Amino acid sequence: METKIWTPDELPAAVRAIKRGSLVAFPTETVYGLGADAFNEKAVGKVYAAKGRPSDNPLIVHVADPEQIDAFAQRNEWADKLIKAFWPGPLTMILPVKPGALSATVTGGLDTVAIRMPDNDLTRSLIREADTPIVGPSANTSGRPSPTIAQHVYHDLHGKISGILDGGSTRIGVESTVIDLSTNVPTVLRPGKITPEQIEVILGTDVEAGQHAVKADEVPKAPGMKYRHYAPDKDVYMVTEDEWTQAIIWAQSQLDPVGIMLTNDLIAEHQLSGMDFVWSLGPDADSAAAKLFAGLRHFDAQPNVNTILVAKMPETSANAAYNNRLNKAAGGQDVSELLED
């Protein structure tokens, strides 16, 4: 299969592909998604095959307008408040699914469905003109760093999907916050740009932010809860601010080059500006989130690099999404494990 890269002017071609049951990658403000008609079970099955995604990992359904929800899910007062405050935007809501409205291929066999309305005019036009909600997991090989430009998608999925709607670089760079609104207490299942504190202000009630460990025989309610995610083939280690001096000394002592990913202030502090194998995460946590996956992919493509050291941010609610993705990419590995050797 030839995978085409379509410009925004070629939107009609992407619409036709969705309507005929093919797969189309699309841009959002978070990462690129892999789209298929949510009501076409065969098309949705192709998403799992293209990504190599476990079949019990439910998919997020993307809508162009809140009214589309009513065809397949049951809204509640919490949902209406959050829609008004945060949509379109990086917030996914889990709601009860209407019986028989969606296949188990979409929901993972659960009685709930995850839904979001992306803050991207091009993608909402795709959904609207295709006249169907679209499933949209990240458009990458399952487990690898998520794609933030069309070329990342092409690298992972060329020959497996019909095309990629190129909307340029994504703005936020990490996946949406996922909140479960199907239980008695609203619960954040995956951290993202929108924090539990922001949600509490809108709902006027406490929001749980803990993530329980998903058992081997349990179906996760949201993506990113059960399986290995966001990881390159190279070893990744997290580095806190006070560990960088020793981490850089260790890196410089290695025979093979070590990829180093850190913020601009740390680059200046440790006099690393302009050096090879240094990837800037920008000035702050927001820019770091936007650049994290691209940096991991950059060093993954370097044949001589076997180890990547990445800056961990202070543990705050605003940094939770970045640290969550980094922790998963690193498999929990901290640079202290290297320094002790």
Side-chain angles (χ1 to χ4, degrees):
M1 180 189 300
E2 179 188 358
T3 298
K4 299 178 180 178
I5 297 182
W6 293 306
T7 66
D9 291 341
E10 295 174 298
L11 175 64
V15 171
R16 289 193 297 269
I18 291 291
K19 285 187 171 183
R20 67 172 179 263
S22 297
L23 304 186
V24 173
F26 58 85
T28 76
E29 76 280 25
T30 58
V31 301
Y32 273 73
L34 182 56
D37 181 347
F39 293 139
N40 184 333
E41 185 172 7
K42 185 176 180 180
V44 174
K46 294 178 184 177
V47 171
Y48 288 93
K51 284 177 58 68
R53 182 184 178 94
S55 60
D56 67 347
N57 204 5
L59 302 174
I60 294 174
V61 177
H62 293 64
V63 297
D65 303 286
E67 291 72 25
Q68 281 188 310
I69 295 175
D70 299 329
F72 60 90
Q74 298 170 350
R75 281 199 267 177
N76 55 33
E77 183 180 353
W78 286 339
D80 289 337
K81 287 181 177 180
L82 294 180
I83 287 170
K84 185 176 181 181
F86 297 118
W87 276 16
L91 181 70
T92 294
M93 300 184 298
I94 294 178
L95 295 170
V97 66
K98 290 186 175 179
L102 292 170
S103 75
T105 312
V106 175
T107 64
L110 299 172
D111 58 4
T112 55
V113 58
I115 314 160
R116 101 172 180 98
M117 181 178 166
D119 187 11
N120 185 286
D121 292 340
L122 182 61
T123 287
R124 291 203 308 280
S125 294
L126 172 67
I127 299 167
R128 198 171 289 121
E129 294 185 25
D131 196 27
T132 182
I134 294 176
V135 298
S138 56
N140 58 331
T141 300
S142 189
R144 284 188 47 76
S146 298
T148 55
I149 57 175
Q151 287 72 23
H152 294 162
V153 182
Y154 190 84
H155 176 272
D156 282 17
L157 300 179
H158 68 90
K160 298 180 180 180
I161 66 177
S162 288
I164 304 162
L165 195 55
D166 190 350
S169 298
T170 63
R171 187 174 75 252
I172 294 174
V174 294
E175 295 81 357
S176 59
T177 304
V178 177
I179 184 162
D180 187 0
L181 301 179
S182 69
T183 59
N184 292 331
V185 179
T187 304
V188 172
L189 300 182
R190 182 178 73 186
K193 175 72 173 175
I194 297 172
T195 67
E197 291 82 0
Q198 289 174 297
I199 295 172
E200 285 179 338
V201 170
I202 301 301
L203 296 185
T205 188
D206 291 340
V207 171
E208 288 190 7
Q211 297 183 62
H212 78 284
V214 179
K215 299 176 183 177
D217 60 351
E218 183 181 357
V219 177
K221 270 194 168 185
M225 294 181 65
K226 181 176 181 181
Y227 296 99
R228 182 173 181 260
H229 278 70
Y230 322 119
D233 293 330
K234 311 299 174 68
D235 286 330
V236 177
Y237 293 86
M238 299 177 285
V239 186
T240 59
E241 185 175 0
D242 60 355
E243 293 174 316
W244 271 113
T245 297
Q246 290 302 312
I248 291 168
I249 292 172
W250 178 89
Q252 291 172 339
S253 72
Q254 303 305 299
L255 296 177
D256 293 324
V258 174
I260 296 176
M261 298 173 56
L262 66 182
T263 49
N264 291 348
D265 57 336
L266 290 170
I267 290 175
E269 179 182 341
H270 295 282
Q271 300 179 0
L272 298 174
S273 181
M275 296 186 66
D276 292 338
F277 304 103
V278 173
W279 179 273
S280 170
L281 290 170
D284 53 33
D286 283 346
S287 65
K291 295 173 178 287
L292 173 64
F293 292 141
L296 292 175
R297 283 179 173 269
H298 169 76
F299 286 123
D300 211 21
Q302 306 297 313
N304 295 329
V305 172
N306 296 310
T307 305
I308 310 171
L309 306 181
V310 188
K312 184 179 181 180
M313 298 294 171
E315 294 287 357
T316 67
S317 181
N319 295 339
Y322 171 87
N323 283 338
N324 170 267
R325 305 316 191 271
L326 173 57
N327 183 67
K328 287 181 176 290
Q333 297 181 129
D334 186 271
V335 74
S336 60
E337 298 174 32
L338 296 177
L339 302 180
E340 291 170 357
D341 290 343

